[in-house]
Amino acid sequence: MKKSRLLSLAFVVLCSVATVSLAAPDTPNVPAGHPKIEYPAQSTTHQQSEPLTGKVLQVLNGGGYSYIYLQKDKGEKTWIAVTEIKANAGDRMSFKEGLVMKNFQSKTLKRTFDSIVFSNGVVPQPGKAAASSPAKAAPQAAAPSKQQSAPMGSKVAVMPKEKRISVQKATGPNAYTIAEIYRNSAKLDKKQIVVRGKIVKVTSRIMKRNWVHIQDGSGSQAKGTHNLVCTTTATPHLDDVVTVKGTVAKDRDFGYGYHYNVLIENATISK
């Protein structure tokens, strides 16, 4: 499983991508939906196989990551990147193994790291688990539940339910509400569906796709069944009410923690 995750990440980092919102095409900000992740256009990688432990010297946040300058116990200093967390200079922290990336360029921070470890996560320190917990937007900070089997991806992608959204259901034999798609995801897996909803978030050009979040007023925020993520090559617009046609993918796993309970792939979007 670990090997699979690392291979998936290796594939992703070799895709030259940048993430931006449609509202500000070149402005790097961390969306409340699918995390904006930066990847190098080119990188030499190998696995850092041992946990990294030491004192935090500096913390920089951007592009959905926390970049942490760590002085290891033996004095060596190294940069580490993890999904955005709460950390402060002076904290003692440990990080799981990960991929070492050479000459990684962060467009958000406008700097190049000669070498940086993209860690698989934080190892909680005894009595200080809260200090090293992910920031509020990350899924691990939420109360545990059966729906939180996905460490990232679908949980990070969920936008808060907008109270005023009430979109009329699409028509036709393959038409469903968002709640119905979640409820029937097992039988709808790999099948074409039609769904209408309001676009509440767009994250562009991740793995050569745009990631569109729609809501129609159905579903439960507590269960995470109110927000549906669709991938498309179309260029949608925030706040539009649209009809989405695409293929249901149940338990879609891109590796490295990016798991979606339900995803609509290869979607076409029309007003």
Side-chain angles (χ1 to χ4, degrees):
M1 181 63 72
K2 182 183 294 181
K3 182 177 180 181
S4 174
R5 291 201 314 267
L6 293 175
L7 287 175
S8 297
L9 176 62
F11 168 77
V12 172
V13 298
L14 290 175
C15 297
S16 177
V17 297
T19 58
V20 292
S21 68
L22 291 184
D26 295 311
T27 302
N29 63 338
V30 181
H34 194 288
K36 289 179 64 177
I37 304 299
E38 296 180 320
Y39 300 101
Q42 295 181 343
S43 176
T44 301
T45 68
H46 66 275
Q47 185 175 355
Q48 167 67 45
S49 59
E50 296 181 357
L52 300 169
T53 301
K55 179 181 178 181
V56 175
L57 300 179
Q58 185 179 2
V59 181
L60 303 173
N61 292 320
Y65 277 121
S66 289
Y67 298 85
I68 296 172
Y69 196 36
L70 188 77
Q71 182 174 21
K72 297 194 290 186
D73 289 341
K74 294 183 179 181
E76 181 184 356
K77 298 176 183 178
T78 185
W79 280 99
I80 299 170
V82 291
T83 304
E84 190 169 348
I85 61 172
K86 292 180 180 179
N88 300 291
D91 288 349
R92 179 173 175 78
M93 300 186 72
S94 292
F95 299 88
K96 299 177 183 178
E97 62 185 18
L99 291 179
V100 179
M101 299 188 182
K102 303 295 185 181
N103 299 318
F104 171 73
Q105 183 179 13
S106 169
K107 294 181 181 179
T108 301
L109 301 179
K110 297 181 179 180
R111 65 177 293 172
T112 298
F113 297 90
D114 293 336
S115 178
I116 187 168
V117 179
F118 276 72
S119 168
N120 288 322
V122 176
V123 178
Q125 295 291 301
K128 293 187 178 182
S132 59
S133 295
K136 199 170 185 179
Q140 293 91 334
S145 71
K146 291 181 180 180
Q147 285 75 31
Q148 290 181 329
S149 57
M152 293 175 65
S154 55
K155 286 298 156 185
V156 176
V158 172
M159 292 287 291
K161 188 173 185 178
E162 295 194 14
K163 296 180 180 179
R164 297 181 180 179
I165 292 180
S166 180
V167 178
Q168 185 176 359
K169 180 179 176 179
T171 58
N174 298 323
Y176 297 87
T177 66
I178 290 174
E180 288 171 342
I181 292 172
Y182 275 98
R183 187 163 58 247
N184 299 288
S185 59
K187 74 175 185 179
L188 293 176
D189 188 30
K190 300 180 181 178
K191 294 183 178 179
Q192 292 279 324
I193 58 90
V194 179
V195 60
R196 294 186 74 248
K198 178 182 177 181
I199 297 176
V200 296
K201 191 68 183 183
V202 177
T203 304
S204 302
R205 299 192 293 276
I206 295 180
M207 292 184 281
K208 299 181 180 180
R209 306 167 235 202
N210 297 324
W211 300 71
V212 181
H213 304 252
I214 63 171
Q215 296 181 17
D216 62 2
S218 69
S220 165
Q221 179 167 324
K223 295 180 179 180
T225 59
H226 66 289
N227 184 92
L228 187 62
V229 181
C230 313
T231 64
T232 181
T233 57
T235 305
H237 298 280
L238 195 65
D239 294 328
D240 279 354
V241 174
V242 296
T243 299
V244 175
K245 297 180 181 180
T247 303
V248 176
K250 182 180 184 295
D251 295 327
R252 185 71 163 92
D253 195 345
F254 292 94
Y256 204 60
Y258 288 94
H259 174 275
Y260 291 81
N261 294 331
V262 178
L263 187 68
I264 306 301
E265 296 190 297
N266 303 317
T268 60
I269 296 177
S270 58
K271 294 184 66 174

